[in-house]
Amino acid sequence: QVQLVESGGGLVQAGDSLRLSCAASGLGFGNNAMAWFRQAPGKERAFVAVISRGGDRTNYADSVKGRFTISRDDVKKMVYLQMRSLKPEDTAVYYCAARRFTTSTYRDDYQFWGQGTQVTVSS
């Protein structure tokens, strides 16, 4: 049974930093591209960042480029999202997702999802 469990969300102020973690189990972690999506109230779930198998390639949404960094640890089966210079518009539920083999920025391409962790950025 595949499980993705996010943690690290919380309430922060604008300009602060936060690191999200996602622990994976039940899948061949090294064979999966890993991604973060987010969903703000009243909006669709949107792509944030993705990292390839092996971690040699990353891709980011324009809105977070230069502020967020995705990384992975294949030994620990973890993926991280380091978020800096947070803005109120970053407020959302953040989801970890896994996709076999290749990266994608499309939500429907991902087979496995976590339950999400809330990030709230106050102004």
Side-chain angles (χ1 to χ4, degrees), residues 5-6 14 16-17 25 27 30 32-34 53 84 107 116-117:
V5 180
E6 302 95 335
D16 284 351
S17 297
S25 61
L27 78 166
N32 283 264
M34 301 298 298
R53 293 183 295 163
R84 300 180 177 86
R107 177 188 63 201
T117 186

Side-chain angles (χ1 to χ4, degrees), residues 1-4 22-34 72 77 97-100 111-113:
Q1 180 181 358
V2 175
Q3 278 196 315
L4 301 176
C22 172
S25 61
L27 78 166
F29 188 78
N31 288 328
N32 283 264
M34 301 298 298
R72 63 188 294 160
K77 296 186 178 182
R99 179 175 191 266
R100 291 188 185 94
Q111 291 92 16
F112 305 109
W113 292 87

Side-chain angles (χ1 to χ4, degrees), residues 106-121:
Y106 294 100
R107 177 188 63 201
D108 291 346
D109 285 345
Y110 285 81
Q111 291 92 16
F112 305 109
W113 292 87
Q115 83 290 346
T117 186
Q118 176 71 49
V119 173
T120 303
V121 184

